[in-house]
Amino acid sequence: MAMQSPAVETPRRPALVIALHWLTLVALLLGVLIILLRDEIDGRALRYWMLEAHRHLGLLVFCLLLARLAARLAHHPLPAVCFSSRLTRAAAAATHIVLYLLLAAVPLLGWISSNARGQDIHFIGIPLPALVGADDDLADTLAEWHATVAWSLLAL
C-alpha cells in the first residue's frame, strides 16, 4: 500500500480582509457604472439621484479603505499565499500602497471638487464638513484630477 503524503494546506487571507476587498471592488465598480450611465440619462431628478448614489459609493469606498487598513494592521503580517521572489513581493507591496493611496485620493478629490462647486456633501444623512470654499476654477481642476485618478485606479 502506497503512503500518501499529507496535503499541504495553502494559507488563506483572513475572511474579513477578503470580504473588505470584494466589497471595495463592488462599491468602486457600482460608482463608476452609475456615473457613466448618468451621462446617458434624461431627467433632472434621476440624474441628481445618480450623482448622490455615486457620492455615497465613493464615500463608502473611503470608509472601506479605512476598515481595510485597520484589518491589515490587526492581521499583520498577512500570511503569504504563494512563494515568490523578493522582487515579486516588493512589487506587490508597492502596488498595494499605490492602490490604497488611489482609493483614498479618488473619494477625497470628489468630495473637495463638490465643495468647490458650492455643494454640500452628506453621507448616509450625515452632513460632512466643507474641505474648501466655493471656487469654480478649483472645482474644474479638481474634477479633472478626480476623473484622471479614478481611471488610474481602475487601470491599476
Side-chain angles (χ1 to χ4, degrees):
M1 176 154 74
M3 296 273 300
Q4 292 184 348
S5 62
V8 176
E9 190 174 314
T10 305
R12 269 182 69 82
R13 301 278 192 214
L16 178 63
V17 172
I18 294 169
L20 290 170
H21 166 85
W22 289 109
L23 285 171
T24 302
L25 180 64
V26 168
L28 185 68
L29 293 178
L30 280 174
V32 170
L33 179 66
I34 287 171
I35 207 64
L36 292 177
L37 287 175
R38 182 180 181 266
D39 291 338
E40 306 302 321
I41 299 294
D42 290 329
R44 184 178 172 107
L46 183 56
R47 289 176 53 81
Y48 176 79
W49 180 88
M50 292 176 86
L51 180 60
E52 284 300 306
H54 173 78
R55 287 178 177 151
H56 274 76
L57 286 164
L59 291 167
L60 177 60
V61 165
F62 188 73
C63 291
L64 288 168
L65 169 65
L66 297 177
R68 288 178 73 164
L69 290 171
R72 290 289 302 261
L73 288 173
H75 296 286
H76 185 75
L78 288 174
V81 293
C82 66
F83 301 101
S84 54
S85 71
R86 181 179 288 211
L87 179 61
T88 301
R89 287 192 312 271
T95 301
H96 270 94
I97 290 168
V98 172
L99 278 171
Y100 284 10
L101 290 173
L102 294 176
L103 283 169
V106 172
L108 289 174
L109 286 168
W111 180 353
I112 296 168
S113 173
S114 293
N115 289 159
R117 291 207 188 287
Q119 300 167 339
D120 294 328
I121 301 297
H122 297 82
F123 183 58
I124 56 172
I126 301 167
L128 300 179
L131 301 178
V132 297
D135 181 332
D136 288 337
D137 291 333
L138 178 62
D140 291 341
T141 299
L142 291 170
E144 287 179 29
W145 289 1
H146 176 68
T148 300
V149 174
W151 285 115
S152 299
L153 173 60
L154 290 173
L156 186 60

CSV table of all heavy atoms in Angstrom, one decimal, residues 86-107:
chain,number,residue,atom,x,y,z
A,86,ARG,N,11.7,37.8,-3.9
A,86,ARG,CA,11.7,39.0,-3.2
A,86,ARG,C,11.2,40.2,-4.0
A,86,ARG,O,10.5,41.1,-3.6
A,86,ARG,CB,13.1,39.3,-2.6
A,86,ARG,CG,13.2,40.5,-1.8
A,86,ARG,CD,14.5,40.7,-1.2
A,86,ARG,NE,14.7,39.7,-0.1
A,86,ARG,CZ,15.4,39.9,0.9
A,86,ARG,NH1,16.1,41.0,1.0
A,86,ARG,NH2,15.5,38.9,1.8
A,87,LEU,N,11.7,40.2,-5.3
A,87,LEU,CA,11.3,41.3,-6.2
A,87,LEU,C,9.8,41.3,-6.5
A,87,LEU,O,9.2,42.3,-6.4
A,87,LEU,CB,12.1,41.1,-7.5
A,87,LEU,CG,11.7,42.2,-8.6
A,87,LEU,CD1,12.1,43.6,-8.1
A,87,LEU,CD2,12.5,41.8,-9.9
A,88,THR,N,9.2,40.1,-6.6
A,88,THR,CA,7.8,40.0,-6.9
A,88,THR,C,7.0,40.5,-5.6
A,88,THR,O,6.0,41.2,-5.8
A,88,THR,CB,7.4,38.5,-7.2
A,88,THR,OG1,8.1,38.2,-8.4
A,88,THR,CG2,5.9,38.4,-7.5
A,89,ARG,N,7.5,40.1,-4.5
A,89,ARG,CA,6.8,40.5,-3.2
A,89,ARG,C,6.9,42.0,-3.1
A,89,ARG,O,6.0,42.7,-2.6
A,89,ARG,CB,7.4,39.8,-2.0
A,89,ARG,CG,6.9,38.3,-2.0
A,89,ARG,CD,7.3,37.7,-0.6
A,89,ARG,NE,8.6,37.9,-0.2
A,89,ARG,CZ,9.7,37.1,-0.4
A,89,ARG,NH1,9.5,36.1,-1.2
A,89,ARG,NH2,10.8,37.4,0.0
A,90,ALA,N,8.1,42.6,-3.4
A,90,ALA,CA,8.3,44.0,-3.3
A,90,ALA,C,7.3,44.8,-4.3
A,90,ALA,O,6.7,45.8,-4.0
A,90,ALA,CB,9.7,44.4,-3.6
A,91,ALA,N,7.2,44.2,-5.5
A,91,ALA,CA,6.3,44.9,-6.5
A,91,ALA,C,4.9,44.8,-6.0
A,91,ALA,O,4.1,45.8,-6.2
A,91,ALA,CB,6.5,44.2,-7.8
A,92,ALA,N,4.5,43.7,-5.5
A,92,ALA,CA,3.1,43.5,-5.0
A,92,ALA,C,2.9,44.5,-3.8
A,92,ALA,O,1.8,45.1,-3.7
A,92,ALA,CB,2.9,42.1,-4.5
A,93,ALA,N,3.8,44.7,-2.9
A,93,ALA,CA,3.7,45.6,-1.8
A,93,ALA,C,3.6,47.0,-2.3
A,93,ALA,O,2.7,47.8,-1.9
A,93,ALA,CB,4.9,45.5,-0.8
A,94,ALA,N,4.4,47.4,-3.3
A,94,ALA,CA,4.4,48.7,-3.9
A,94,ALA,C,3.0,49.0,-4.5
A,94,ALA,O,2.4,50.1,-4.4
A,94,ALA,CB,5.5,48.9,-4.8
A,95,THR,N,2.5,48.0,-5.3
A,95,THR,CA,1.2,48.1,-5.9
A,95,THR,C,0.1,48.3,-4.9
A,95,THR,O,-0.8,49.2,-5.1
A,95,THR,CB,1.0,46.9,-6.8
A,95,THR,OG1,2.0,46.7,-7.8
A,95,THR,CG2,-0.4,47.0,-7.5
A,96,HIS,N,0.2,47.6,-3.8
A,96,HIS,CA,-0.9,47.8,-2.8
A,96,HIS,C,-0.8,49.2,-2.2
A,96,HIS,O,-1.9,49.8,-1.9
A,96,HIS,CB,-0.7,46.7,-1.7
A,96,HIS,CG,-1.5,45.5,-1.9
A,96,HIS,ND1,-0.9,44.4,-2.5
A,96,HIS,CD2,-2.8,45.2,-1.7
A,96,HIS,CE1,-1.9,43.4,-2.7
A,96,HIS,NE2,-3.0,43.9,-2.1
A,97,ILE,N,0.4,49.7,-2.0
A,97,ILE,CA,0.5,51.0,-1.4
A,97,ILE,C,-0.1,52.0,-2.4
A,97,ILE,O,-0.9,52.9,-2.0
A,97,ILE,CB,2.0,51.4,-1.1
A,97,ILE,CG1,2.4,50.5,0.1
A,97,ILE,CG2,2.1,52.9,-0.9
A,97,ILE,CD1,3.9,50.6,0.3
A,98,VAL,N,0.2,51.9,-3.7
A,98,VAL,CA,-0.4,52.8,-4.7
A,98,VAL,C,-1.9,52.7,-4.7
A,98,VAL,O,-2.6,53.7,-4.8
A,98,VAL,CB,0.3,52.6,-6.1
A,98,VAL,CG1,-0.4,53.4,-7.1
A,98,VAL,CG2,1.8,53.0,-6.0
A,99,LEU,N,-2.4,51.4,-4.7
A,99,LEU,CA,-3.8,51.2,-4.7
A,99,LEU,C,-4.5,51.9,-3.5
A,99,LEU,O,-5.5,52.5,-3.7
A,99,LEU,CB,-4.1,49.7,-4.7
A,99,LEU,CG,-4.1,49.0,-6.0
A,99,LEU,CD1,-4.2,47.5,-5.8
A,99,LEU,CD2,-5.2,49.4,-7.0
A,100,TYR,N,-3.9,51.7,-2.4
A,100,TYR,CA,-4.5,52.3,-1.2
A,100,TYR,C,-4.5,53.9,-1.3
A,100,TYR,O,-5.4,54.5,-0.9
A,100,TYR,CB,-3.8,51.9,0.1
A,100,TYR,CG,-4.2,50.5,0.5
A,100,TYR,CD1,-4.9,49.6,-0.3
A,100,TYR,CD2,-3.7,50.0,1.8
A,100,TYR,CE1,-5.2,48.3,0.1
A,100,TYR,CE2,-4.1,48.7,2.2
A,100,TYR,CZ,-4.8,47.9,1.4
A,100,TYR,OH,-5.2,46.6,1.8
A,101,LEU,N,-3.4,54.4,-1.8
A,101,LEU,CA,-3.3,55.9,-2.0
A,101,LEU,C,-4.4,56.4,-3.0
A,101,LEU,O,-5.1,57.4,-2.7
A,101,LEU,CB,-1.9,56.3,-2.5
A,101,LEU,CG,-0.8,56.2,-1.4
A,101,LEU,CD1,0.5,56.4,-2.1
A,101,LEU,CD2,-1.0,57.1,-0.3
A,102,LEU,N,-4.6,55.6,-4.1
A,102,LEU,CA,-5.6,56.0,-5.0
A,102,LEU,C,-7.0,55.8,-4.5
A,102,LEU,O,-7.9,56.6,-4.8
A,102,LEU,CB,-5.4,55.2,-6.3
A,102,LEU,CG,-4.1,55.5,-7.1
A,102,LEU,CD1,-4.0,54.5,-8.3
A,102,LEU,CD2,-4.1,56.9,-7.6
A,103,LEU,N,-7.2,54.7,-3.7
A,103,LEU,CA,-8.5,54.5,-3.1
A,103,LEU,C,-8.9,55.7,-2.1
A,103,LEU,O,-10.0,56.0,-1.9
A,103,LEU,CB,-8.6,53.2,-2.3
A,103,LEU,CG,-8.7,52.0,-3.2
A,103,LEU,CD1,-8.5,50.7,-2.3
A,103,LEU,CD2,-10.1,51.9,-3.8
A,104,ALA,N,-7.9,56.3,-1.5
A,104,ALA,CA,-8.1,57.5,-0.7
A,104,ALA,C,-8.3,58.7,-1.5
A,104,ALA,O,-9.1,59.6,-1.2
A,104,ALA,CB,-6.9,57.7,0.3
A,105,ALA,N,-7.5,58.9,-2.5
A,105,ALA,CA,-7.5,60.1,-3.3
A,105,ALA,C,-8.7,60.3,-4.1
A,105,ALA,O,-9.3,61.5,-4.2
A,105,ALA,CB,-6.3,60.1,-4.3
A,106,VAL,N,-9.3,59.3,-4.7
A,106,VAL,CA,-10.5,59.4,-5.6
A,106,VAL,C,-11.6,60.0,-4.8
A,106,VAL,O,-12.2,61.0,-5.2
A,106,VAL,CB,-10.8,58.1,-6.3
A,106,VAL,CG1,-12.1,58.3,-7.0
A,106,VAL,CG2,-9.7,57.8,-7.3
A,107,PRO,N,-12.1,59.4,-3.7
A,107,PRO,CA,-13.2,60.0,-2.9
A,107,PRO,C,-12.9,61.4,-2.4
A,107,PRO,O,-13.8,62.2,-2.4
A,107,PRO,CB,-13.5,59.0,-1.8
A,107,PRO,CG,-12.6,57.8,-2.0
A,107,PRO,CD,-11.6,58.1,-3.1
